[in-house]
Amino acid sequence: MIDAAPNWLAYVTAAGAVATPILVAILGGIGWRIRSRIDRRTELERKLREDRIEIYNELLEPFVIIFMSDDAWKSDPKNKTRDKNAMGAKHLLSLDYKRNAFRLAVLGSDGVLRAYNSLMQYFFLLNDKPAPEEARVKGMLERIGVLLLEIRKSMGNEATSLDRWEMLEWFMTDMKVVRGK
């Protein structure tokens, strides 16, 4: 019986010597797989972010044109004879704009897509139900503010404390009047 203990210990030591490299290889493989998934997800998110930025810029362009001050619009020599509202409307109705809207439906975040849908539905309803100009502008600005806020969140600022009106204050001098504060 005295000889059995050293044999048992030798077996455990030999098994440990064989199992250690196998265990290290398995854990290394698992680590590599996790790391490659993380890298792939990070690269996809980077690419998606670039695509989203392009789509968001294209979809916002007609609104930038429409809400640009007349003086700023006319300061560009190519715009001296062009009507900014007509240009913004033409852009909204273009085939390229519709293509980008489809791209938004596929690539945009849920919040951005919902805000964009709300804005477009508002435009569609305005055609059916005329409203006073002040109410139309306020409703449109409110929805554009929500859209900008959702875009901000989708670009990584999920914890923003700004509201939809604050998203618009930078380009409108009388936003607090429009807002009603």
Side-chain angles (χ1 to χ4, degrees):
M1 256 211 179
I2 296 177
D3 290 336
N7 280 342
W8 181 80
L9 191 55
Y11 290 130
V12 170
T13 303
V18 170
T20 299
I22 293 170
L23 189 58
V24 167
I26 290 171
L27 291 176
I30 291 171
W32 174 82
R33 185 150 171 92
I34 290 170
R35 178 64 187 185
S36 67
R37 281 185 180 174
I38 290 170
D39 288 346
R40 189 175 76 226
R41 181 176 293 141
T42 302
E43 179 60 24
L44 287 173
E45 287 176 9
R46 185 192 63 74
K47 176 68 173 132
L48 183 61
R49 182 183 182 93
E50 290 171 7
D51 290 344
R52 283 179 174 173
I53 289 170
E54 179 186 337
I55 292 167
Y56 296 161
N57 283 334
E58 290 294 323
L59 291 177
L60 291 172
E61 186 175 340
F63 301 106
V64 170
I65 291 170
I66 291 169
F67 287 110
M68 181 182 287
S69 73
D70 290 334
D71 291 338
W73 177 257
K74 296 290 183 191
S75 69
D76 187 341
K78 69 180 180 189
N79 294 333
K80 292 276 185 205
T81 60
R82 299 188 323 183
D83 181 292
K84 71 180 179 82
N85 292 331
M87 290 297 294
K90 181 180 176 185
H91 193 72
L92 275 170
L93 298 172
S94 73
L95 180 59
D96 285 338
Y97 191 83
K98 298 297 183 195
R99 281 189 188 126
N100 278 311
F102 273 102
R103 289 178 64 207
L104 175 68
V106 174
L107 298 175
S109 72
D110 291 352
V112 172
L113 187 56
R114 285 185 183 112
Y116 181 73
N117 287 344
S118 175
L119 175 62
M120 296 313 290
Q121 287 298 308
Y122 184 75
F123 281 132
F124 298 146
L125 289 175
L126 282 179
N127 289 334
D128 296 338
K129 297 179 183 178
E133 184 66 23
E134 184 178 317
R136 292 168 61 109
V137 170
K138 184 174 182 178
M140 187 176 7
L141 287 173
E142 183 175 9
R143 284 159 182 83
I144 290 171
V146 171
L147 177 60
L148 289 173
L149 187 59
E150 289 301 326
I151 288 172
R152 179 179 170 81
K153 289 176 182 177
S154 82
M155 291 287 102
N157 295 302
E158 297 91 1
T160 186
S161 63
L162 297 174
D163 68 20
R164 62 185 175 250
W165 298 110
E166 290 173 306
M167 293 299 298
L168 301 171
E169 286 182 359
W170 61 270
F171 77 55
M172 289 195 67
T173 58
D174 58 350
M175 181 51 71
K176 292 192 190 278
V177 173
V178 172
R179 180 180 187 176
K181 279 192 170 186

